[in-house]
């Protein structure tokens, strides 16, 4: 746990359970690094092994994802070659590697927009790990609660000092911060893209309240929208399951 992030730990767990066939090289620490080379690495690995962490839609239709995201093993419509043809026709007709072009364009957008850094700040609210939060959660439960567990003395003594420092209000604040951070870690970022052919600077300014624009290679311009979804705050009842997974 001290050498791998939560996502990478889950990858090894999923691989050992057989739910994924390959351990993805994607790491969220690369994506949130603010370093272009590391963000590019993260995006390339997402496209290589999308699992259920990446979905590409065209005109509202899903055209690329992994088998955990809805792709069937024998479905040729979700291959990288199929994606390459779709992107070549729509966005990068002159490029031999349209997927690489898309990855770099997405990287430029993520560096331009503050969304990753804003999420990173929220993710850092969990100053306590899941083991500590689990102990605090147990402390708040009435004796007849179905999640109430008997903690052995050795395990309990590790957190006695922490509990002595926190009153009930502070305990609730720590649990709430953990759940907010967990929400920010499990949310999704959506980016919609469109070509900006024929859009002059004046029209671009008038449309800027609805869409943003970015200049890419060789004078290419794209319009885009970016947003964050799946922001429903995680429930306290999920804490025991999270503790079990990461134990």
């Amino acid at each position: 746990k001290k050498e791998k992030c939560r996502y990478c730990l889950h990858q090894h767990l999923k691989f050992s359970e057989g739910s994924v066939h390959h351990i993805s090289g994607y790491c969220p620490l690369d994506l949130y690094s603010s370093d272009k080379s590391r963000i590019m690495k993260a995006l390339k690995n997402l496209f290589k092994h999308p699992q259920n962490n990446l979905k590409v839609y065209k005109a509202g239709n899903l055209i690329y994802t992994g088998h955990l995201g809805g792709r069937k093993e024998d479905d040729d419509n979700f291959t990288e070659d199929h994606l390459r043809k779709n992107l070549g026709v729509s966005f990068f007709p002159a490029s031999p590697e349209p997927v690489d072009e898309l990855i770099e364009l997405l990287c430029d957008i993520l560096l331009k927009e503050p969304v990753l850094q804003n999420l990173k700040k929220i993710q850092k609210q969990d100053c306590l790990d899941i083991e500590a939060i689990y102990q605090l959660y147990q402390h708040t439960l009435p004796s007849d609660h179905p999640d109430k567990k008997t903690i052995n003395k050795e395990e309990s003594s590790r957190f006695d000092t922490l509990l002595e420092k926190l009153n009930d209000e502070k305990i609730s604040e720590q649990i709430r911060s953990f759940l907010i951070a967990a929400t920010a870690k499990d949310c999704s970022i959506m980016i919609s893209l469109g070509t900006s052919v024929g859009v002059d600077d004046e029209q671009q300014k008038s449309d800027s309240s609805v869409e943003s624009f970015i200049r890419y290679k060789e004078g290419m311009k794209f319009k885009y929208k970016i947003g964050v979804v799946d922001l429903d705050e995680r429930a306290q009842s999920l804490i025991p399951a999270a503790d079990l997974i990461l134990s």
Side-chain angles (χ1 to χ4, degrees):
K1 285 176 56 179
K2 294 181 179 179
E3 298 176 356
K4 300 286 185 179
C5 74
R6 184 184 68 131
Y7 177 85
C8 294
L9 286 173
H10 279 175
Q11 279 292 294
H12 286 274
L13 176 63
K14 288 179 179 179
F15 182 72
S16 68
E17 294 176 342
S19 60
V20 298
H21 305 311
H22 305 278
I23 294 177
S24 173
Y26 165 72
C27 178
L29 299 182
D30 290 328
L31 184 66
Y32 286 88
S33 66
S34 298
D35 178 89
K36 183 168 183 175
S37 63
R38 291 183 65 187
I39 296 174
M40 289 281 287
K41 176 186 175 184
L43 293 174
K44 285 180 179 179
N45 281 313
L46 272 178
F47 274 85
K48 185 177 181 180
H49 296 299
Q51 297 181 8
N52 63 338
N53 300 303
L54 175 73
K55 293 184 178 182
V56 180
Y57 292 83
K58 180 181 178 182
N61 298 311
L62 182 65
I63 63 169
Y64 187 68
T65 188
H67 73 279
L68 292 178
R71 171 187 174 181
K72 296 179 180 179
E73 293 291 342
D74 57 348
D75 193 341
D76 293 336
N77 290 327
F78 288 92
T79 63
E80 192 166 342
D81 185 57
H82 180 72
L83 174 64
R84 189 179 296 110
K85 291 176 181 177
N86 269 281
L87 292 176
V89 171
S90 303
F91 293 110
F92 308 103
S95 174
E97 294 296 338
V99 176
D100 289 343
E101 298 285 3
L102 174 63
I103 288 172
E104 187 165 358
L105 176 59
L106 292 174
C107 181
D108 289 347
I109 291 173
L110 290 172
L111 285 169
K112 177 184 176 184
E113 298 290 334
V115 60
L116 288 177
Q117 294 312 305
N118 289 341
L119 286 173
K120 188 176 180 179
K121 290 177 183 177
I122 300 172
Q123 292 169 359
K124 286 184 173 182
Q125 288 191 27
D126 60 344
C127 56
L128 297 176
D129 63 14
I130 181 58
E131 286 90 350
I133 290 296
Y134 181 72
Q135 296 295 326
L136 297 183
Y137 171 72
Q138 286 291 320
H139 181 76
T140 66
L141 298 178
S143 58
D144 59 346
H145 194 281
D147 284 342
K148 189 73 172 182
K149 303 294 181 184
T150 301
I151 309 298
N152 62 60
K153 291 183 179 180
E154 180 181 353
E155 189 176 359
S156 179
S157 63
R158 293 170 52 206
F159 300 98
D160 283 346
T161 304
L162 175 63
L163 288 169
E164 289 172 1
K165 293 179 180 178
L166 301 174
N167 57 30
D168 289 346
E169 182 179 353
K170 291 294 183 182
I171 288 174
S172 296
E173 287 178 5
Q174 290 290 343
I175 292 174
R176 179 82 191 284
S177 294
F178 176 85
L179 294 171
I180 291 173
T183 301
K185 291 174 184 176
D186 289 334
C187 67
S188 300
I189 298 173
M190 293 187 66
I191 301 176
S192 65
L193 281 172
T195 56
S196 189
V197 178
V199 178
D200 56 30
D201 291 341
E202 287 301 318
Q203 185 178 348
Q204 180 174 319
K205 290 178 182 178
S206 65
D207 292 343
S208 62
S209 60
V210 179
E211 296 174 315
S212 298
F213 294 82
I214 189 168
R215 291 185 180 275
Y216 190 56
K217 298 175 181 177
E218 300 175 356
M220 298 175 66
K221 286 195 299 185
F222 291 88
K223 56 185 178 181
Y224 68 91
K225 296 178 184 178
I226 186 169
V228 180
V229 295
D230 300 330
L231 286 173
D232 294 334
E233 187 176 325
R234 301 303 182 260
Q236 286 194 30
S237 58
L238 297 177
I239 291 176
D243 178 65
L244 178 63
I245 289 173
L246 291 176
S247 293

